[in-house]
Amino acid sequence: MGDNHEDHEYPDPGDTPSFAWAGVKTVTAAFEEVDDYMNDLDMVAPDVFAPDEDSQNGTSFFGPDGGVIDPDFQYQDDSDKSDDDELISEADSDFEAPAPATYPESQSKVKKSGRGSRARGRGRGRGRGHGALGFDSGIQRRRGRPKGQGRGGKGIKRGIRKPVEPSPEFKSLHSQATLAFIEKDYDAAEELAKQAIQCNPEIFTAYSLLSEIHMARGDRSRATHALFNGAHTRPRDTALWSKVAKLIMEIAGDDRASAYLDAIYCYNRVIGSDSSHVEARYERAALHREFGNERRAAYDYVRLLRLLPHDTTVLRNLAEVYIEIGEGARAMDYYETSIAHFQSLQQSSVTPFTWSDLNIYAELFMYSTEPGEIAKGISKIKSVCRWLLNRGEDEFWDNYTHDDREFDATDDPRRLLVPEFDRDRHDLGSYGNGLPLEIRTRLGLLRLELGEEHFEEAIRHFEWLAPKDTGPGGMIHDYPDLFGDIAEALRLCGLPHEALRFYEPLQQLEEYISISFFKNMGSCYHALELYDEAEESFRIVLENNEDNVEILLKLATMFENADMPDRAEPYVERIIALKRARALQKGAPRPRSRADASTKLHKPIASASKQTMLDPMAGRKPDTRPRNLKRLREAELNEKVQLLYRELMILKQQIEDGESEARVEWMGIAKTLIDEFKKKKSFYSAGVEKHRKYSGYPTKLQLRDGEEMETVTGRLEQLLDNVQEEVEYTAVEYCNVSFGQWLDIFLEYAVVLAKGGDKIQAYETIISATEAKVFHDSKELMFLIHVTWSICALAVDDDETLCGVARYFMKEFQFVTDTYRLFSILNRLCNRQNVWYNNGPTQKYILRQVKAVDFSLMSEERRKNFYEERASYSTKDAAGNPIHAEEMDIALLMAYGYILFTGGSHTFALNYFYRAYALDPGNPMIILSLALGYLHVAIKRQSGNRQYMIMQGFSFLFKYYDLRKRSEFSIERQESEYNVGRAYHMLGLTHLAIPYYERCLNMSREVQRDGGLGPAEDYSVEAAFALQLHWAASGEVELAQKLTARWLVI
């Protein structure tokens, strides 16, 4: 036992924390007993502190990782400290990490003195620490040591201390605590464990037990605290400290910042014990990086590179950290060292250095500011590319630095001009075609940094992305981030036309556009004097930030310089209004009046509100402007919409006539019209307006003071300010297109999208229609919308949406038989495995419908006896009264029975089948369902009386058979033959099934002659397949082949 240091290893008593239940006196006594030994310890908070102001000799007790050199466990991790000090600047090293503050059980009273909260210790260039947890023992120490005395002190033994034998009292208390824990008496177990810790605080097992007790209670926080305290008795147990660190971050939840220093402390202990612990360094670096301490993270990554030389994952992390702190150039040396190492390996060796690593290496050169460094970077990148393409020996390309002809798509013309080039030495895949687009983009961006003479070469690289191809297979969908980088770089280089070629395709990807995107794109349009497009982009920015004075000023200045004062007026007015509002908020005097404003405009200016793409002048307040100008612009909008609508109708007719190429153009126009409709804010009111009944979009608003406002934005603002108003709703159309026609555009566009497989866009189109108040408030239009929604769901085989749409119909038309039939038929038509038909939510909803019918048909007295709550009625009559069921619905009972049946609950399904049978005893389908229910119960493993169930099932089955045989339709007679044969086949009675199958086959010609219900309802194929399986399994291969050739070969 004496050699088992792992079980009883413990630190010096100065390391042992004091506990709330132990009292300070006991720990103080322990300190006094080892006062001489403590003179040789210097335990401080676990992070890098700046030297005290009175440091003389510069000696430090801190390891190069930023942790404490703990003499108790001989932490010496400074073998390479001399050349790593540069990683932490003086400003960064003056960081004082507070002691872990989230563990109240481990804190004692602190006696503060000296600098900050640290007590002065002996003179070694550092202030006295508070111990590993940041507390002071309160015991005064002597400064220094007698001259000539060694660091260990006379009689003091260094290294691992001898394990302490648990006292009899500890053993007894620990045993009792363990027994109480096993018996789940957690209160008694906790008290006994605490007493055991007080008796022998240096033994880990008591802490571990206390942690398990808290964990059994579900108190992860206190369990972690106990384990944290106990970990100090095993300072060299790296696995334990790592576990505690992870638990600390787990219990922190979203408040990770509060646990940051505590976790770092634990990882410091791990690294202090094992400086080569890779996982701990990774975790510590990640935490430092997460909480903004990038320099410390960089230090750990550098140390990891020494433990894992040339590890590409570490290299990437190090590069990212250096980029974050604006020192990307410092990572180049590490990359170049690793690249040289990988290139020195034999050609056959597998290298972990990939194109992704080269992409990061290339990005580092983007942070260079010197043209010479950038030019060298391009040469180095091309050299590595050559090596990765197995052309490393072609060093003559290094002489051609003015362009990148080496990576052209073809040899002709530029590569053939190089005398050293041998076109037969390597295939084309080793040149331009083998270069990834990410690396090519980096080369182009670096070329832009070199100046105007390199712009043409840069654009050569960018053309590989084919910005003109915006279709489904275009590069824009695979490399949107590259498009954004290129567009921004071209804009900054003063190439707006080229920038727009990469900006414009990004507009179709919503996740890659932002306010800054439209701002930059507007700037490019402005530079090219495309004022309408520039205004359109800038107005999108204003829609998200109406008070953006910078954009308003850009618009006003743009139109003013273009000699368009009429279009500049509203923006100038809004700027003045904003300045007035801000001045009033600050209590400052009002700015000059409109008449005193010094502008280049000479006409009265009206304010502007939000505008739309097709109507650049809509929504402006005509304070003093002629009203005919407003009407003119509205007429222009109407004319544009009418033109598009007429074109849409022409294309629709062409599609119906079979001209498939017209479909793409039709979809483009339909989307434009839908987008324009969605911009009409009065159709999509929010806030106060959301629940207001819509009676047509407003054409005139009269305020209390007689002022007229003709914009939707103005109306909403006045409503939010509780201004009374009278609204005249007269319109039932928009832009001379009726709302019914608008809805047709929405629904037809959604159906086309769904048939093309674009489920998300189709659903979004339908949802936008349901949210429009002009459609939402009409029950007839909502009916059409949901019918179309079900068509789209069927087109994409979306069973979840089908069930949701069916529930809408059952809710809006409650107690209507056709809605329950619609629910069944929609699920039947779905071509995929339908998991939503009988899942929990659907089953519960249909059961509620059954209960609602039962509830409405019962007398008041029976309701009180059988129901604890009222039924849910979802349909009301014209007077607003709920509609009650008049009779039990057989289709509803059968629908719920089928849900139970398909879910395997055959016994419960029989209950509902019997209820339907009582209402309609002559219905063949109900009788067949009863028969199948009994037969499926019979074949279950735990069937109580299998023979009785089979006889009962066949009793109903033959009753169904007799009813069908008397039918005038041959298809129904054939159906009965097949179903009886299939029932026998299911039970393994194939000799009885064969005659029914054969009769089914013999009736096929009669069914086809009569027409029946259509060719698809002929059961001859199913019967032939069943017979084929039987004959093949029986060894009658020849019969099976004949059946196959006769009935199953298409």
Side-chain angles (χ1 to χ4, degrees), residues 639-651 669 673 735-738 740-742 744-745:
E639 182 180 354
K640 291 178 181 178
V641 171
Q642 281 290 305
L643 180 63
L644 289 174
Y645 183 74
R646 286 195 296 269
E647 182 67 18
L648 192 75
M649 293 298 101
I650 294 173
L651 292 170
I669 295 176
L673 288 171
C735 294
N736 297 325
V737 179
S738 69
Q741 292 171 326
W742 278 107
D744 288 341
I745 298 173

Side-chain angles (χ1 to χ4, degrees), residues 351-597:
T351 172
F353 194 87
T354 64
W355 291 109
S356 298
D357 301 300
L358 177 57
N359 189 33
I360 297 176
Y361 175 59
E363 185 179 356
L364 295 175
F365 289 100
M366 300 296 296
Y367 298 91
S368 300
T369 56
E370 296 294 331
E373 291 296 325
I374 296 174
K376 290 180 181 178
I378 293 175
S379 297
K380 292 178 181 178
I381 294 169
K382 290 163 63 176
S383 175
V384 179
C385 290
R386 209 177 300 129
W387 167 63
L388 289 174
L389 292 169
N390 298 319
R391 293 191 297 106
E393 69 279 3
D394 292 352
E395 297 181 356
F396 60 87
W397 290 111
D398 292 335
N399 301 324
Y400 299 89
T401 59
H402 56 285
D403 59 36
D404 302 322
R405 66 182 66 190
E406 175 184 0
F407 297 105
D408 286 352
T410 60
D411 297 334
D412 186 32
R414 297 202 301 175
R415 270 203 300 267
L416 293 177
L417 299 177
V418 178
E420 301 92 340
F421 173 66
D422 181 1
R423 65 188 310 170
D424 297 327
R425 187 171 184 178
H426 302 285
D427 57 57
L428 284 176
S430 299
Y431 294 96
N433 295 329
L435 191 66
L437 287 176
E438 293 90 342
I439 306 301
R440 186 177 291 281
T441 300
R442 295 290 179 209
L443 287 173
L445 294 175
L446 290 172
R447 287 287 176 187
L448 288 180
E449 295 291 330
L450 292 178
E452 187 174 351
E453 63 274 13
H454 293 269
F455 286 176
E456 182 180 354
E457 190 66 25
I459 293 174
R460 278 179 178 269
H461 286 298
F462 301 152
E463 288 296 335
W464 281 72
L465 289 169
K468 292 182 180 180
D469 183 6
T470 59
M475 297 287 188
I476 179 62
H477 301 286
D478 297 325
Y479 302 98
D481 51 334
L482 299 185
F483 274 72
D485 293 342
I486 293 170
E488 180 65 9
L490 290 170
R491 182 185 69 85
L492 294 175
C493 289
L495 299 172
H497 176 71
E498 296 294 337
L500 285 172
R501 296 177 60 223
F502 293 89
Y503 271 131
E504 289 176 342
L506 284 170
Q507 294 182 84
Q508 58 185 303
L509 304 177
E510 295 184 1
E511 63 272 22
Y512 283 94
I513 59 177
S514 61
I515 292 177
S516 60
F517 169 83
F518 285 105
K519 178 181 174 182
N520 295 337
M521 193 163 65
S523 299
C524 293
Y525 284 128
H526 182 194
L528 296 173
E529 299 183 357
L530 299 173
Y531 301 125
D532 291 338
E533 290 82 356
E535 184 183 27
E536 184 177 299
S537 297
F538 286 142
R539 281 173 49 203
I540 295 176
V541 178
L542 290 177
E543 287 178 3
N544 292 275
N545 183 6
E546 295 181 353
D547 298 340
N548 194 321
V549 177
E550 178 188 358
I551 298 299
L552 290 171
L553 190 58
K554 278 180 177 289
L555 284 164
T557 305
M558 178 180 70
F559 287 123
E560 182 181 343
N561 294 336
D563 196 19
M564 299 180 183
D566 287 346
R567 299 182 67 174
E569 289 171 1
Y571 301 113
V572 175
E573 181 68 22
R574 288 174 67 179
I575 293 171
I576 295 174
L578 284 172
K579 289 183 178 180
R580 287 176 179 173
R582 292 176 182 177
L584 288 174
Q585 290 176 356
K586 297 178 180 179
R590 294 173 61 90
R592 292 179 299 169
S593 65
R594 178 80 174 89
D596 296 333

Side-chain angles (χ1 to χ4, degrees), residues 807-821:
R807 286 180 62 166
Y808 167 82
F809 288 116
M810 288 187 284
K811 176 184 176 183
E812 293 297 321
F813 304 94
Q814 195 176 24
F815 309 137
V816 176
T817 300
D818 285 343
T819 61
Y820 306 124
R821 291 174 176 169

Side-chain angles (χ1 to χ4, degrees), residues 246-451:
K246 293 176 181 176
L247 286 173
I248 288 173
M249 297 308 296
E250 287 178 10
I251 64 174
D254 295 333
D255 188 18
R256 291 172 61 84
S258 63
Y260 163 54
L261 291 177
D262 299 328
I264 290 296
Y265 171 72
C266 295
Y267 286 125
N268 285 348
R269 299 298 296 243
V270 175
I271 296 171
S273 196
D274 180 7
S275 61
S276 61
H277 200 290
V278 172
E279 182 183 358
R281 285 200 182 274
Y282 261 122
E283 296 294 337
R284 189 172 74 171
L287 284 175
H288 280 318
R289 187 177 176 187
E290 179 181 354
F291 294 100
N293 208 343
E294 289 86 358
R295 292 189 181 276
R296 296 187 185 280
Y299 173 77
D300 274 326
Y301 287 132
V302 170
R303 293 304 302 271
L304 280 168
L305 272 181
R306 296 183 178 176
L307 297 173
L308 306 170
H310 314 300
D311 186 281
T312 55
T313 302
V314 180
L315 278 172
R316 293 177 194 175
N317 286 316
L318 180 62
E320 290 171 2
V321 169
Y322 274 133
I323 289 173
E324 290 171 5
I325 61 178
E327 300 179 7
R330 299 186 65 180
M332 290 182 189
D333 294 337
Y334 296 101
Y335 262 95
E336 289 171 0
T337 301
S338 295
I339 290 172
H341 165 73
F342 292 130
Q343 289 180 333
S344 66
L345 300 177
Q346 294 182 0
Q347 190 71 20
S348 59
S349 301
V350 178
T351 172
F353 194 87
T354 64
W355 291 109
S356 298
D357 301 300
L358 177 57
N359 189 33
I360 297 176
Y361 175 59
E363 185 179 356
L364 295 175
F365 289 100
M366 300 296 296
Y367 298 91
S368 300
T369 56
E370 296 294 331
E373 291 296 325
I374 296 174
K376 290 180 181 178
I378 293 175
S379 297
K380 292 178 181 178
I381 294 169
K382 290 163 63 176
S383 175
V384 179
C385 290
R386 209 177 300 129
W387 167 63
L388 289 174
L389 292 169
N390 298 319
R391 293 191 297 106
E393 69 279 3
D394 292 352
E395 297 181 356
F396 60 87
W397 290 111
D398 292 335
N399 301 324
Y400 299 89
T401 59
H402 56 285
D403 59 36
D404 302 322
R405 66 182 66 190
E406 175 184 0
F407 297 105
D408 286 352
T410 60
D411 297 334
D412 186 32
R414 297 202 301 175
R415 270 203 300 267
L416 293 177
L417 299 177
V418 178
E420 301 92 340
F421 173 66
D422 181 1
R423 65 188 310 170
D424 297 327
R425 187 171 184 178
H426 302 285
D427 57 57
L428 284 176
S430 299
Y431 294 96
N433 295 329
L435 191 66
L437 287 176
E438 293 90 342
I439 306 301
R440 186 177 291 281
T441 300
R442 295 290 179 209
L443 287 173
L445 294 175
L446 290 172
R447 287 287 176 187
L448 288 180
E449 295 291 330
L450 292 178

Side-chain angles (χ1 to χ4, degrees), residues 897-909:
Y898 288 140
I899 289 175
L900 293 173
F901 188 94
T902 55
S905 301
H906 305 104
T907 304
F908 296 108

